Amino acid sequence: MDSRPTKFIFVTGGVASSVGKGLTCAAIGALLEARGLKVTVLKLDPYINVDPGTMSPFQHGEVFVTDDGAETDLDLGHYERFIETRMSKLNNFTTGKVYETVIANERRGDYLGGTVQVIPHITDEIKRRVFQAAKGVDICIVEIGGTVGDIESLPFLEAIRQMRADVGMQNALYIHVTLVPYIAAANEYKTKPTQHSVKELTGFGIIPGIIICRSENKLDFKLKKKISLFCNVSENCVVNAPDVSTIYELPLMLHNENLDQRIVELLNIWTGAPNLSAWQKIVDTIKNPGNGRINIAMVGKYVELTESYKSLTEALNHGGFANDCGVEITYVDSESIEQRGAEEVISTAAGSQGIDAILVPGGFGERGSEGKIAAVRYAREKKIPYFGICLGLQIAVIEYARNVAGMKNATSSEFVSDSDCAVIDIMDDQKGVDKKGASMRLGAYPCILKKDSLCRKIYGQDEISERHRHRFEVSNRFRTRLEKSGLVFSGTSPNNELAEIIELKDHPWFVGVQFHPEFKSTPRNPHPLFKSFVSAALNYRRLRQSSSGQKEKAQSPDDGSHFPPEVN
Ligand code: GLN
């Protein structure tokens, strides 16, 4: 039996948030995996919400959903995109969750007679959860949310301080990710904030073994020397991570800084050199896409907040890698479509480049829904590739019901609670739900694909499993009528009760899915739906370009060519 102990890497952040701590953890995971180690990554969030599921995308960005139905921090999406190990509800917990458990224990009488305190009760619960998630791996990377010095992260810092003594000095390593800002007026990078941050961390009893310095451009060797001197870290353990043009370059960049070598030395692990050829290939494709770039209009209401579509934008990029092309996303505010019409807004959204496909992502609430419906109609009628995800499927069903199946008042009961034509309705088992947290239909469910459908062809298999996060569904009251007017239900739950995928026959690529395929796409294994959608967009672009080329060649504007072309 393998008796190697699990080694822990605790990653803290200094100076500022948003310096890419999550991505750094993910990239470290990728490097250690490439050395043949089994890795997992955890995110410990210091806020008091029990999970991010009830937080607005404006506050928190995307809510990432795991197979086992946990609503988690978006960093878990980065982890899954960089490492092979799948995330579960064990991989992310918050102060709120820790206190919830400890208070439940107290009410049960588990600490009867004792005073319940931050140390040891809260810190013990934090450690219990970390050990539980670390079972069976060689390396457990633990990212502490927030920045050192925040009041609310103190119990987490205390817990990881204790853990090094618990597991043995050679089995734990602290990595501090800091920002080294560039001060334009002095034309200099400044190390002082890093010095202060490390000093503060040391004050909690945590001595970093490696400092990763984020900076705009590459730092001079002298600066590394200075940080080494003032922060008590050997020179070769000061790692510079300047901004990269693509996040998928991070493993390569950190490897060039010898980060993985330093980590295995400090943790006393023997491994071979990592094989990073897959990452190199991805970066080469991103920098030099053989098939140019396509432009996708993403129609939603949080468009100014791209963090809320993190997995989706990445999945589209992955679809691009698979087609050797770059993917440009043009965010279109659905409310502007309500004011100015779909044709005008979408056809001009990307300037002279034009739009090659339209996508309506997941979302909640009525605001902007009419604009989304108009966008879907435009895609359907002009035969522009359309991909609807979750709410995007529901919107497509409403559009089809209204404009093809003759149900003029079709809507969703999420938008109109007392409609008699709710083609999208609340799911039966959601009807009695009166709490908001963790109560949607969440996580992976199986779906059976219809023979001869486009989706069956795309997936290449009869049964799939995809992740969900919704309360509403296509109402079975209207399914037959919609089917009779041409809407294809190409994927359903195994008992056929729940519509999971819709598609259209007389359209080059029109697919709506009730689940979120973006959560399962990775750069090394692009999701088949995104691969196929990008390929359809590429085809559309070719047709569009050849038709406008013909138009230019023709003397008369009435030469019979159409823009956009009608393709079947
Ligand atoms: N609001 C819709 C529902 O709850 C769609 C959810 C989503 O897009 N994730 O069913």
Side-chain angles (χ1 to χ4, degrees):
M1 207 185 95
D2 195 344
S3 60
R4 279 186 304 189
T6 297
K7 309 251 177 183
F8 291 86
I9 301 175
F10 300 107
V11 181
T12 52
V15 180
S17 58
S18 306
V19 291
K21 194 157 34 94
L23 278 167
T24 306
C25 290
I28 293 172
L31 286 174
L32 296 175
E33 245 185 15
R35 284 177 171 260
L37 298 165
K38 185 160 171 47
V39 178
T40 195
V41 193
L42 266 67
K43 174 83 188 276
L44 277 44
D45 277 310
Y47 53 76
I48 295 170
N49 302 61
V50 171
D51 62 42
T54 53
M55 283 154 94
S56 148
F58 287 101
Q59 293 271 326
H60 197 269
E62 170 183 280
V63 174
F64 185 79
V65 179
T66 56
D67 270 336
D68 64 353
E71 294 178 296
T72 71
D73 186 78
L74 59 75
D75 276 329
L76 271 77
H78 292 314
Y79 307 160
E80 280 206 349
R81 287 186 280 275
F82 278 78
I83 69 169
E84 299 288 342
T85 309
R86 294 304 85 189
M87 298 292 111
S88 80
K89 56 174 174 265
L90 301 179
N91 291 73
N92 182 207
F93 62 87
T94 67
T95 295
K97 198 160 262 170
V98 170
Y99 272 82
E100 191 185 44
T101 311
V102 170
I103 290 170
N105 293 346
E106 188 274 336
R107 292 290 81 186
R108 221 179 19 245
D110 289 5
Y111 316 112
L112 217 52
T115 307
V116 183
Q117 295 180 297
V118 173
I119 307 170
H121 300 96
I122 295 297
T123 45
D124 278 356
E125 175 59 18
I126 294 171
K127 292 198 290 181
R128 185 190 70 77
R129 286 175 176 269
V130 173
F131 282 124
Q132 186 185 25
K135 272 194 193 121
V137 299
D138 299 316
I139 305 275
C140 176
I141 301 169
V142 183
E143 177 188 354
I144 311 296
T147 309
V148 167
D150 298 345
I151 290 177
E152 54 186 16
S153 61
L154 289 179
F156 290 107
L157 295 182
E158 170 58 16
I160 63 167
R161 182 196 67 77
Q162 293 174 13
M163 277 188 76
R164 191 169 193 201
D166 294 341
V167 299
M169 300 304 260
Q170 275 205 334
N171 295 329
L173 167 67
Y174 300 109
I175 297 184
H176 194 52
V177 182
T178 85
L179 175 71
V180 177
Y182 174 70
I183 306 294
N187 189 24
E188 259 182 345
Y189 280 96
K190 292 293 184 187
T191 65
K192 190 75 85 189
T194 297
Q195 295 175 36
H196 280 300
S197 173
V198 172
K199 195 172 160 201
E200 178 124 23
L201 191 61
T202 317
F204 297 127
I206 295 174
I207 300 168
I210 293 175
I211 297 177
I212 300 182
C213 303
R214 290 278 295 108
S215 56
E216 255 174 75
N217 291 303
K218 206 167 161 46
L219 294 180
D220 192 84
F221 184 68
K222 277 190 250 153
L223 282 175
K224 283 192 176 180
K225 253 184 130 113
K226 194 168 171 185
I227 291 170
S228 155
L229 181 67
F230 282 95
C231 298
N232 203 21
V233 170
S234 54
E235 251 171 62
N236 65 7
C237 289
V238 179
V239 168
N240 184 205
D243 290 350
V244 275
S245 56
T246 155
I247 56 172
Y248 300 118
E249 204 172 350
L250 265 174
L252 301 168
M253 198 216 11
L254 293 174
H255 174 68
N256 287 339
E257 285 277 302
N258 296 318
L259 176 62
D260 47 319
Q261 186 56 38
R262 292 291 94 80
I263 291 175
V264 294
E265 281 166 15
L266 289 169
L267 287 173
N268 196 22
I269 304 171
W270 293 91
T271 81
N275 178 354
L276 299 175
S277 55
W279 295 105
Q280 188 62 56
K281 192 163 165 262
I282 289 164
V283 172
D284 292 344
T285 308
I286 295 170
K287 294 196 170 166
N288 268 317
N291 289 321
R293 311 189 76 79
I294 53 146
N295 225 309
I296 292 176
M298 194 192 285
V299 183
K301 75 177 173 189
Y302 296 122
V303 284
E304 66 274 40
L305 199 85
T306 51
E307 285 289 286
S308 52
Y309 301 121
K310 199 91 224 158
S311 294
L312 187 50
T313 51
E314 287 312 318
L316 287 166
N317 286 331
H318 307 158
F321 307 160
N323 286 283
D324 197 15
C325 83
V327 175
E328 219 68 79
I329 299 170
T330 303
Y331 295 96
V332 176
D333 178 6
S334 51
E335 282 176 301
S336 70
I337 296 181
E338 290 171 6
Q339 285 141 23
R340 291 162 43 216
E343 170 123 38
E344 188 192 318
V345 175
I346 295 174
S347 66
T348 56
S352 59
Q353 285 178 41
I355 287 294
D356 304 307
I358 295 174
L359 185 148
V360 174
F364 294 85
E366 200 224 340
R367 184 162 66 82
S369 58
E370 290 301 322
K372 294 176 194 171
I373 293 170
V376 176
R377 180 176 195 167
Y378 179 65
R380 181 177 57 76
E381 291 181 346
K382 299 287 181 189
K383 305 215 187 290
I384 303 169
Y386 173 75
F387 197 2
I389 293 178
C390 202
L391 183 69
L393 166 140
Q394 300 175 355
I395 291 285
V397 171
I398 297 170
E399 191 281 320
Y400 200 85
R402 282 190 194 173
N403 301 319
V404 181
M407 303 180 219
K408 292 276 168 277
N409 298 323
T411 188
S412 162
S413 52
E414 184 176 7
F415 310 153
V416 182
S417 56
D418 57 354
S419 165
D420 55 5
C421 197
V423 290
I424 305 298
D425 205 355
I426 186 99
M427 300 174 71
D428 274 344
D429 50 10
Q430 286 287 323
K431 280 182 184 149
V433 174
D434 56 1
K435 62 165 194 145
K436 291 277 185 229
S439 61
M440 287 189 231
R441 178 173 182 247
L442 289 168
Y445 285 92
C447 164
I448 308 294
L449 302 177
K450 198 175 195 159
K451 240 177 105 213
D452 302 327
S453 65
L454 172 64
C455 282
R456 170 66 188 74
K457 212 167 101 201
I458 291 172
Y459 276 98
Q461 59 198 67
D462 297 322
E463 185 177 334
I464 55 165
S465 167
E466 293 282 5
R467 299 181 195 170
H468 299 69
R469 184 171 188 253
H470 64 120
R471 295 188 200 280
F472 296 83
E473 62 172 338
V474 178
S475 165
N476 286 335
R477 277 206 299 145
F478 299 94
R479 218 157 106 181
T480 318
R481 199 164 148 196
L482 287 164
E483 234 159 1
K484 279 199 177 127
S485 47
L487 191 64
V488 179
F489 290 92
S490 54
T492 62
S493 56
N495 64 4
N496 195 31
E497 279 298 305
L498 214 137
E500 292 275 17
I501 309 180
I502 57 154
E503 59 188 57
L504 291 181
K505 276 212 180 80
D506 56 348
H507 192 286
W509 210 98
F510 190 105
V511 174
V513 293
Q514 187 56 76
F515 44 81
H516 291 270
E518 69 272 25
F519 291 144
K520 286 181 75 170
S521 187
T522 75
R524 289 177 291 176
N525 196 6
H527 192 287
L529 283 173
F530 287 94
K531 218 152 111 176
S532 174
F533 178 54
V534 170
S535 153
L538 263 174
N539 283 340
Y540 183 76
R541 187 191 63 173
R542 286 184 194 118
L543 284 165
R544 195 160 67 83
Q545 285 172 345
S546 69
S547 105
S548 67
Q550 275 166 27
K551 229 181 195 172
E552 270 165 34
K553 262 192 246 154
Q555 296 298 317
S556 146
D558 260 342
D559 63 341
S561 61
H562 299 280
F563 177 80
E566 302 279 323
V567 282
N568 271 302

